[in-house]
């Protein structure tokens, strides 16, 4: 039976890939305390194990999945990448550049001192900086070196060896240093700083708090009696008397539900359907007669995700937008930002950026008004614009294939690097022209996760037969160089953010997690902070850092070569 399975996997390597993915994802999800290997490391290790069966796999398979992965990464981070370079996010973008250069320098120094070749150096970089995407560009770069075919194969097979040795501490070490050592380096209590930041960001909020003013939708019906303050007032004047976000949604006059606007005068005997937070409606019940008018209260309410594309809304705070006429009757449920769709706090001084996904609730009339003002309704879809994806990868790959000779060394981004840049530009362009086409979040997840892990599975299976000899060649000293290359940038980054860029202590460590492209580390920081405030510093550095760290896989090979 075992012999038959082995021969079948050799004859059909696609089955070996799916077996590797299944076991790799399963192992990667297992947790030891709060630590887990993750899908990439799990898939690589399983691939190396299955690779002992000496299964031949075409390099074209990993190339296809890797280029798909990089395009998806670019598409997801595009808005924050462009925003970070061209607007108020520039300091955070520049910080990410500094951290990436520092990380690259530490790996370069390690490789020089230890005498590593381009293969071990590339694996050391990918593992210590937890940027597995750089492996693909490093592999492309090794192929372009002036080496024999056997030397190229040897160097490429050493990449997963170094990655496997250094990745575990790269993941655990980055999270531990930033989440636990980081606050000590900054001499702060992170939870206290985040609470202080939230108070400062809450300036301008109603007495009952911004969250209740924006996020709870409830409707009740009231009869207007002779002598109460709103009798004889227009709808706009009546809403203004409330002193908070209270809205008249429907009106029954003389027994009939009628159309109205802000200038319609309310008469004694009219019945109005009012929406607001629950506490405000309870207070209103004490001065107005509440009635049970089910027909009047039959108000169609929906929740809509809005992709912010409006240049006029970019950089404005929620409290500013709440005063706009189009915000009438609308309640914000959440704000998601960045390629990983992290939730950021809904606070009065929270700024909206182009590319944000804002979930709002209200009547269809109100929500449509906000959609028209802010951008585009990002309603769930199941289809992907494959014309956009296919042509984007094609054009990016063609441009990336252009070769520049520097001192006789052919240097180019390669097809995969070109696809990454194309994804960034198209992801940003969609926030300007939303009807250009969409790649649903589920599709992006598939392209990113399955694309990368299929690439890693092929790398592991291919390197499997030579992994043990490669491990002997690398030596366990590689682990300690990985510790050095992971620790130094992450220890210095918070201090650079504090003294050079003067980031607020509440978001400093979030900036560090983003610049290191470590979502896991940033989530650990948020847990320690007991707040999502650090996420406000995560998205722009993540977009810039993820891109530069990925491209650095190519750079480290040429530096060592």
């Amino acid at each position: 039976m075992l012999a038959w399975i082995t021969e079948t996997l050799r004859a059909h390597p696609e089955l070996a890939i799916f077996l590797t993915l299944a076991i790799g994802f399963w192992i990667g999800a297992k947790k030891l305390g709060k630590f887990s290997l993750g899908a990439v490391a799990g898939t690589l290790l399983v691939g190396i194990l299955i690779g002992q069966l000496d299964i031949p796999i075409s390099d074209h398979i990993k190339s296809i999945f890797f280029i798909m992965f990089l395009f998806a990464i670019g598409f997801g981070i595009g808005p924050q990448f462009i925003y970070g370079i061209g607007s108020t996010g520039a300091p955070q973008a520049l910080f990410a550049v500094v951290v990436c250069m520092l990380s690259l320098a530490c790996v370069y120094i390690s490789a020089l001192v230890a005498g590593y070749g381009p293969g071990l150096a590339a694996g050391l970089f990918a593992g210590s900086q937890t940027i597995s995407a750089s492996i693909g560009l490093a592999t492309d770069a090794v192929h372009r070196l002036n080496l024999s075919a056997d030397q190229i194969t040897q160097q490429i097979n050493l990449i997963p060896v170094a990655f496997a040795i250094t990745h575990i501490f790269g993941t655990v070490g980055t999270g531990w240093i930033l989440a636990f050592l980081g606050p000590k380096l900054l001499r702060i209590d992170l939870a206290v700083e985040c609470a202080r930041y939230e108070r400062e960001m809450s300036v301008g909020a109603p007495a009952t708090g911004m969250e209740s003013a924006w996020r709870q939708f409830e409707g009740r019906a009231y009869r207007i009696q002779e002598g109460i303050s709103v009798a004889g007032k227009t709808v706009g004047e009546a809403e203004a008397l409330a002193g908070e976000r209270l809205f008249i949604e429907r009106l029954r006059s003389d027994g009939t539900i009628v159309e109205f606007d802000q200038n319609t005068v309310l008469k004694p005997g009219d019945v109005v359907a009012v929406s607001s937070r629950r506490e405000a409606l309870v207070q209103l019940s004490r001065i107005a007669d509440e009635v049970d008018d089910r027909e009047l209260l039959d108000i169609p309410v929906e929740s809509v995700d809005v992709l912010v594309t409006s240049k006029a809304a970019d950089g404005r705070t929620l409290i500013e937008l709440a005063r706009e006429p189009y915000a009438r009757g609308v309640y914000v449920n959440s704000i998601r930002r960045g390629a990983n769709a992290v939730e950021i706090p809904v606070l009065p001084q929270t700024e909206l950026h182009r590319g944000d996904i804002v979930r709002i609730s209200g009547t269809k009339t109100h929500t449509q008004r906000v959609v028209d003002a802010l951008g585009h309704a990002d309603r769930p879809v199941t289809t992907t614009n494959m014309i956009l994806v296919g042509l984007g990868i094609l054009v990016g790959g063609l441009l990336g294939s252009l070769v520049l000779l520097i001192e006789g060394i052919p240097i180019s981004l390669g097809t995969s690097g070109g696809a990454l840049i194309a994804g960034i530009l198209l992801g940003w362009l969609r926030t300007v022209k939303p009807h250009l086409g969409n790649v649903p979040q589920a599709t992006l997840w598939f392209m990113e996760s399955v694309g990368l892990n299929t690439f890693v599975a092929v790398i592991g299976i291919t390197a499997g037969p030579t992994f043990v000899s490669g491990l002997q060649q690398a030596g366990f000293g590689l682990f300690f160089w990985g510790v050095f290359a992971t620790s130094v940038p992450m220890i210095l980054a918070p201090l650079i953010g504090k003294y050079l860029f003067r980031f607020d202590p509440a978001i400093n460590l979030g900036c560090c997690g983003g610049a290191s492209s470590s979502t896991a580390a940033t989530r650990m920081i948020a847990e320690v902070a007991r707040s999502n405030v650090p996420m406000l510093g995560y998205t722009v550095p993540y977009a810039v850092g993820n891109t530069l760290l990925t491209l650095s896989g190519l750079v480290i090979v040429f530096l060592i070569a």
Side-chain angles (χ1 to χ4, degrees):
M1 176 65 74
L2 183 59
W4 174 76
I5 292 176
T6 300
E7 290 304 318
T8 302
L9 292 179
R10 286 174 179 164
H12 301 279
E14 66 275 14
L15 299 181
I17 293 174
F18 282 110
L19 175 62
T20 302
L21 290 174
I23 301 177
F25 271 79
W26 179 70
I27 290 177
K30 295 294 181 182
K31 287 190 174 183
L32 181 61
K34 291 187 177 181
F35 170 73
S36 63
L37 276 178
V40 173
T43 299
L44 177 64
L45 294 176
V46 173
I48 290 170
L49 181 62
I50 293 177
Q52 304 305 312
L53 300 177
D54 196 15
I55 300 172
I57 299 179
S58 170
D59 283 345
H60 294 304
I61 295 178
K62 67 179 182 182
S63 298
I64 291 171
F65 279 92
F66 187 67
I67 200 171
M68 179 177 72
F69 157 73
L70 281 185
F71 177 84
I73 283 289
F75 194 88
I77 66 177
Q80 279 66 43
F81 185 90
I82 302 297
Y83 165 78
I85 293 175
S87 65
T88 55
Q92 294 183 4
L94 181 58
F95 172 74
V97 173
V98 172
V99 173
C100 290
M101 292 179 64
L102 181 61
S103 299
L104 184 62
C106 288
V107 173
Y108 180 61
I109 291 171
S110 301
L112 280 184
V113 174
Y116 296 146
L120 288 177
L124 171 61
F125 182 83
S128 64
Q129 309 307 315
T130 64
I131 187 72
S132 46
S134 68
I135 294 176
L137 292 182
T139 302
D140 291 343
V142 171
H143 276 292
R144 293 198 292 273
L145 295 179
N146 188 23
L147 300 174
S148 67
D150 289 341
Q151 289 174 319
I152 288 174
T153 300
Q154 180 188 32
Q155 292 300 320
I156 289 176
N157 286 342
L158 287 174
I159 294 176
V161 174
F163 177 82
I165 292 173
T166 59
H167 176 74
I168 293 179
F169 184 83
T171 302
V172 177
T174 299
W176 183 84
I177 291 171
L178 291 180
F180 299 101
L181 184 58
K184 293 180 172 60
L185 292 172
L186 297 175
R187 298 180 181 179
I188 61 170
D189 184 320
L190 187 56
V192 171
E193 291 294 339
C194 287
R196 184 265 312 161
Y197 191 89
E198 288 187 8
R199 288 195 301 272
E200 293 177 359
M201 291 285 285
S202 296
V203 173
T208 51
M210 188 71 173
E211 182 171 325
S212 62
W214 275 84
R215 300 175 86 171
Q216 296 181 23
F217 182 93
E218 187 169 322
R220 296 187 182 184
Y222 300 91
R223 189 184 308 279
I224 298 175
Q225 296 182 339
E226 189 77 46
I228 69 171
S229 58
V230 298
K233 303 286 187 183
T234 65
V235 169
E237 292 170 338
E239 290 178 347
L241 286 174
E244 59 178 286
R245 291 176 59 81
L246 183 147
F247 307 105
I248 295 174
E249 303 288 353
R250 302 183 81 186
L251 171 64
R252 184 187 293 279
S253 184
D254 298 326
T256 304
I257 297 176
V258 298
E259 297 293 330
F260 68 96
D261 57 29
Q262 292 286 284
N263 297 315
T264 301
V265 177
L266 300 175
K267 309 188 304 294
D270 286 351
V271 180
V272 291
V274 178
S275 71
S276 185
R277 62 186 183 86
R278 186 176 299 107
E279 292 85 346
L281 295 177
V282 171
Q283 292 293 329
L284 186 59
S285 298
R286 297 174 181 174
I287 59 174
D289 285 343
E290 184 176 356
V291 298
D292 183 17
D293 192 330
R294 296 191 178 184
E295 183 185 9
L296 190 68
L297 289 172
D298 186 16
I299 307 171
V301 177
E302 66 173 356
S303 294
V304 182
D305 286 337
V306 182
L307 171 66
V308 179
T309 63
S310 169
K311 189 174 181 180
D314 187 33
R316 297 187 65 189
T317 64
L318 290 181
I319 198 66
E320 290 173 339
L321 295 173
R323 300 188 183 106
E324 295 290 343
Y326 57 73
R328 178 182 179 274
V330 173
Y331 302 80
V332 173
N333 302 115
S334 65
I335 303 173
R336 305 194 306 277
R337 179 174 294 168
N340 295 311
V342 297
E343 284 204 15
I344 62 173
V346 178
L347 298 169
Q349 301 302 321
T350 297
E351 294 181 355
L352 283 190
H353 299 160
R354 292 171 95 175
D356 286 351
I357 303 292
V358 183
R359 188 164 184 80
I360 60 172
S361 297
T363 66
K364 291 185 177 181
T365 302
H366 294 332
T367 56
Q368 188 57 51
R369 194 168 56 241
V370 173
V371 169
D372 294 339
L374 294 187
H376 177 71
D378 195 36
R379 291 187 168 88
V381 294
T382 57
T383 57
T384 297
N385 187 336
M386 284 306 300
I387 299 174
L388 177 75
V389 174
L391 289 180
I393 292 176
L394 171 65
V395 174
L398 290 175
L399 293 177
S401 296
L402 297 176
V403 178
L404 178 65
L405 288 176
I406 299 179
E407 295 184 0
I409 299 177
I411 296 178
S412 74
L413 289 175
T415 56
S416 49
L420 172 65
I421 302 301
I424 289 174
L425 293 177
L426 288 175
W428 164 77
L429 189 59
R430 184 177 174 259
T431 65
V432 180
K433 299 182 180 298
H435 298 291
L436 180 70
N438 187 31
V439 182
Q441 195 66 40
T443 303
L444 282 179
W445 178 89
F446 180 86
M447 293 174 70
E448 291 177 20
S449 185
V450 177
L452 175 61
N453 282 286
T454 299
F455 167 80
V456 169
V458 175
I459 286 282
I461 293 171
T462 304
T466 60
F467 183 82
V468 175
S469 60
L471 186 62
Q472 293 171 341
Q473 180 180 342
F476 286 100
L478 183 61
F479 174 81
F480 297 103
W481 284 117
V483 172
F484 169 80
T486 296
S487 302
V488 172
M490 290 302 96
I491 290 173
L492 295 179
L495 301 176
I496 293 172
K498 177 179 180 179
Y499 294 108
L500 184 59
F501 289 88
R502 301 190 181 279
F503 291 145
D504 189 289
I507 67 169
N508 187 342
L509 295 173
C511 292
C512 296
S516 65
S517 191
S518 178
T519 304
T522 311
R523 295 197 184 281
M524 288 178 65
I525 294 167
E527 288 181 9
V528 172
R530 298 192 293 276
S531 168
N532 276 341
V533 164
M535 293 298 182
L536 291 171
Y538 165 80
T539 54
V540 170
Y542 175 84
V544 177
N546 190 287
T547 303
L548 294 184
L549 288 172
T550 298
L551 294 174
S552 294
L554 179 149
V555 176
I556 190 65
V557 169
F558 286 129
L559 285 176
I560 295 300

